[in-house]
Amino acid sequence: MKFRTYTMEDALEQIIDYRGKTPKKSDSGIPTLSAKSVKNNHIDYSLCYYISPDEYDRFMVRGFPKVGDVLLTTEAPMGMVARLDRDDVGIAQRLLTLRGKQDILDNEYLLYFLQSSIGQSLLKARETGTTVTGIKQAEFRKIQIDIPEIHIQKKIGGILRILDQKIEINNKINENLAA
């Protein structure tokens, strides 16, 4: 299998970062995700907050997330990833929204790569801080990733997604049996 080495900056079409910006919260409206909403391979919408549609239009000037984008927590905790399953969300601090370049980096492959021990090690190698560690966007952009051809990435991502779905079904069966 042939790999090409890219920096994240060169492999990604978009890196959306709302670090340092916090939208005005509302009782209802558009769900807005923060680092605490993102678990490995899962978004917990019960942990999001809301912003008004007007605040969304005012706040989301750095880019809009799309279904399939990869969310990466940059601190507290660093390195949690999930695949975005809807468009109508806001993205708040401590989250990067990542979108691979077409025909170079498949988002699903990126998701599983960042979850892998290699991906996690590359993130940790560039983290800074003492009490709360994290990764700056500038450092994330420099991470080098070895990427196989796009059709191989799609096969790998598809297989891993199927395995994740089977694990989720088995966990639900176990919960039902325990109940």
Side-chain angles (χ1 to χ4, degrees):
M1 185 169 19
K2 188 177 173 188
F3 288 84
R4 277 195 65 194
T5 302
Y6 290 87
T7 62
M8 285 292 184
E9 180 171 40
D10 292 335
L12 292 167
E13 174 187 316
Q14 194 153 24
I15 300 172
I16 304 170
D17 186 359
Y18 283 94
R19 194 177 328 235
K21 289 188 78 179
T22 303
K24 184 180 173 196
K25 296 176 183 172
S26 176
D27 291 335
S28 63
I30 296 169
T32 302
L33 304 174
S34 67
K36 66 182 170 187
S37 309
V38 177
K39 313 295 180 209
N40 260 342
N41 224 4
H42 172 87
I43 298 170
D44 187 344
Y45 288 99
S46 72
L47 297 174
C48 72
Y49 58 89
Y50 296 91
I51 60 175
S52 71
D54 287 343
E55 180 68 2
Y56 181 83
D57 292 339
R58 188 191 67 72
F59 179 74
M60 296 293 292
V61 295
R62 295 180 184 171
F64 295 97
K66 292 183 186 175
V67 169
D69 286 352
V70 175
L71 301 176
L72 170 69
T73 62
T74 58
E75 65 181 52
M78 183 195 66
M80 293 284 115
V81 292
R83 184 174 173 266
L84 197 57
D85 56 356
R86 54 195 281 187
D87 288 325
D88 62 337
V89 294
I91 303 294
Q93 293 189 58
R94 301 187 347 246
L95 272 180
L96 294 179
T97 305
L98 310 171
R99 188 175 307 141
K101 281 186 181 170
Q102 189 171 355
D103 298 327
I104 292 177
L105 182 56
D106 180 68
N107 282 352
E108 200 159 48
Y109 181 85
L110 175 63
L111 171 87
Y112 289 111
F113 175 81
L114 290 171
Q115 286 180 350
S116 74
S117 58
I118 294 170
Q120 289 290 306
S121 293
L122 290 170
L123 290 170
K124 287 203 175 301
R126 294 196 174 268
E127 73 183 339
T128 57
T130 51
T131 306
V132 176
T133 61
I135 188 165
K136 295 179 176 142
Q137 184 190 145
E139 288 300 310
F140 176 78
R141 287 175 176 274
K142 295 175 190 174
I143 290 175
Q144 292 192 331
I145 177 174
D146 293 326
I147 304 173
E149 295 173 22
I150 196 76
H151 72 280
I152 302 291
Q153 292 177 54
K154 289 181 185 288
K155 283 183 184 176
I156 292 169
I159 290 167
L160 293 173
R161 180 180 8 90
I162 288 168
L163 289 172
D164 276 346
Q165 289 167 345
K166 287 183 179 199
I167 290 168
E168 191 174 326
I169 289 168
N170 285 340
N171 287 341
K172 286 180 182 174
I173 290 169
N174 288 340
E175 287 171 16
N176 287 340
L177 289 173

